[in-house]
Amino acid sequence: MTSKKVLIVDDESTVLELYLLELGSQFDVEIAESGQQAIDLFDAGNQYAVVVSDMHMPGMNGAELLNIVQQRCPLTTRIMLTGDDQQEVAIKAVNEGQIFRFLSKPCTAKTLASALNAGLEQNRLRGAEKELLEQTLRGSVSLLVDMLTVVQPLAFGRSSRVKRLVDRVCEHTKIGNSWELRLAAMLSQIGCVSLPDDVVQSFHDGGVLKAIDQIEFNKHPDFGARLLGKIPRLERISRVIAAQFKLFEDLPRRMEDETEIQHAAILAVALEFDRLTMTNMSVNDAIDTLRRAPKRYSGEIVAMFDELFAEQMQSRELKLSELRVGMLLEDDIKDDRGAMLVTRGQEISELLLERLLRRADSITQPIHVSEVCEKVTPPVPQAAATNVISDQVVAG
């Protein structure tokens, strides 16, 4: 819910008291006597639709404060109060987009009230635009995932498995803009809609693709990136998806943003880890294979995967009624006509389990699954503890 509170910042307490007295009945006003006091209010979790600041204040001037507000709360409308000798500074601030409006001091309560109403409307419009963009983004992503599910269910299964790997990485490691990495994992195979079914099937089965088919398969990241690059706010994600087959050592030359480099490196390891384990390679052997390609895969991220996924897997054959949420499918599940229902490697969710139970009569049983028993590792001595991702890769 958008805040309607107004924050007025001025080092003159009498001015603040006057504004409180004359504007308090019209607006939800809070005051601060310095830039730092205003920042402290933001740090405490307060949100403001409009911030009004005097330009000339000791310690932190109004331009510095409003610049910080812009970075931390870009939707907040920013208004500056200036003296006659500060007009040039104010005009520059307006031109650089730091503030919405500037008012000359002394400023009457009536003039400030008019500016506050305009600022609140500006905040409302920008909030509505942001909500519309987010709804458009969610709808676009949902449409793309639905399309991938219908057109290439095998590719959808792969993206779902990789998303599960990435989710766990994000839960255990500090990842900047982790929502972008999760979305990149879910949409990483969207370009497969351009591939023939037999090529995707052969890849899924772990077979060696023909040279011409391998060339076409290697093009799907670029095709998917072009599809996503046309959707607002997915430009960064599209670049990460396009880089999924690139060498790790080449990423800094291809991408300037450190967060994008980190996301691309993690996605590449997750995709190859999934491919290797889906060929029935053990987790430990998959990790060793990744380690033997340091130019293609980040050694530090591979080490992270070793910590997170080196597990004891207990395989079982169960009736459909015995399946539980969290188990992993070791084989594809098809109906009695051979139609693919679920691809192997997926984690059983409540929704998936419900769908399978509804079709129990047409599914061959028992079901091959595995349960995860996580590896217990001894505590690392404090002096020997190191980050699993170097400062060169981690953003922020």
Side-chain angles (χ1 to χ4, degrees), residues 56-223:
H56 185 66
M57 296 185 296
M60 180 187 301
N61 65 37
E64 293 170 333
L65 169 61
L66 294 180
N67 185 48
I68 294 174
V69 172
Q70 179 189 31
Q71 295 176 22
R72 295 178 56 168
C73 305
L75 295 183
T76 297
T77 304
R78 300 167 298 279
I79 298 175
M80 184 185 291
L81 293 168
T82 67
D84 291 337
D85 59 340
Q86 299 164 338
Q87 297 296 316
E88 185 175 340
V89 174
I91 292 173
K92 181 181 178 182
V94 171
N95 291 336
E96 292 178 352
Q98 294 179 10
I99 64 172
F100 168 65
R101 185 171 295 180
F102 74 88
L103 305 173
S104 297
K105 295 184 69 175
C107 179
T108 66
K110 181 179 179 180
T111 300
L112 182 54
S114 177
L116 289 178
N117 281 319
L120 288 170
E121 178 64 11
Q122 171 78 352
N123 176 262
R124 186 190 68 79
L125 291 174
R126 296 183 68 182
E129 180 183 23
K130 179 175 181 289
E131 183 178 357
L132 178 60
L133 281 174
E134 290 178 347
Q135 290 177 349
T136 301
L137 177 61
R138 284 194 295 267
S140 299
V141 170
S142 178
L143 177 62
L144 288 170
V145 171
D146 289 345
M147 179 177 67
L148 184 61
T149 305
V150 174
V151 177
Q152 285 292 1
L154 294 177
F156 171 74
R158 176 165 162 78
S159 63
S160 296
R161 296 191 303 271
V162 172
K163 169 68 160 46
R164 178 169 54 83
L165 296 174
V166 165
D167 281 343
R168 189 161 179 193
V169 169
C170 292
E171 290 166 3
H172 289 79
T173 312
K174 182 180 179 181
I175 305 291
N177 292 335
S178 62
W179 71 272
E180 292 183 339
L181 174 57
R182 296 173 195 260
L183 206 51
M186 179 55 71
L187 296 174
S188 61
Q189 306 302 296
I190 193 68
C192 289
V193 297
S194 65
L195 298 175
D197 292 344
D198 60 335
V199 173
V200 180
Q201 182 70 57
S202 179
F203 179 85
H204 175 75
D205 293 340
V208 177
L209 298 179
K210 299 176 183 179
I212 189 171
D213 290 338
Q214 187 67 59
I215 291 173
E216 290 303 311
F217 185 83
N218 290 345
K219 292 179 181 179
H220 86 75
D222 286 331
F223 180 74

Side-chain angles (χ1 to χ4, degrees), residues 164 324-328 346-350 370-372:
R164 178 169 54 83
R324 297 291 180 267
V325 173
M327 292 179 174
L328 302 178
Q346 290 201 53
E347 181 176 337
I348 298 176
S349 64
E350 290 187 20
S370 59
E371 292 184 282
V372 178

